[in-house]
Amino acid sequence: MTTFEHQEIRGITIKNMIVTIASTISIVVSVMTVYFQLKGDIQDIRSSQETQTRINEIRLKVIEGQVAILQQEVTRLKEQKGS
């Protein structure tokens, strides 16, 4: 260690300050990395949910169309049976 690192400011060495600053920077970088990963994951989930919602709406429309056709056939069969 150099003499610069051995100097003290009211009981705090320069080395301790450097370690503290480096540790703080490391923690901040880790937290920001996790934040951005979670943000990306949330966006992916949101996109997936929107896609699933669209698929379900399309399926519902198809089923509604099939039900309408079946209702018409039932009505036609009732009319034929009644005749």
Side-chain angles (χ1 to χ4, degrees):
M1 286 192 260
T2 64
T3 57
F4 177 75
E5 291 175 337
H6 285 289
Q7 293 179 352
E8 292 188 21
I9 303 173
R10 294 184 185 168
I12 300 174
T13 63
I14 299 296
K15 181 181 177 184
N16 288 345
M17 289 176 61
I18 291 171
V19 169
T20 302
I21 291 170
S23 298
T24 303
I25 290 171
S26 174
I27 291 168
V28 168
V29 168
S30 296
V31 168
M32 293 303 292
T33 301
V34 170
Y35 168 77
F36 286 116
Q37 286 175 346
L38 289 174
K39 185 177 178 182
D41 290 346
I42 289 171
Q43 288 175 345
D44 291 344
I45 290 170
R46 184 176 295 136
S47 175
S48 176
Q49 285 178 338
E50 289 174 357
T51 302
Q52 189 63 41
T53 300
R54 289 181 194 144
I55 290 171
N56 288 341
E57 288 174 357
I58 291 170
R59 286 178 179 167
L60 181 61
K61 287 180 183 180
V62 168
I63 290 173
E64 287 173 345
Q66 291 174 344
V67 166
I69 291 171
L70 289 173
Q71 285 176 339
Q72 290 173 356
E73 289 181 14
V74 167
T75 304
R76 185 175 46 84
L77 288 172
K78 283 182 180 179
E79 290 173 354
Q80 287 177 356
K81 188 177 181 182
S83 301

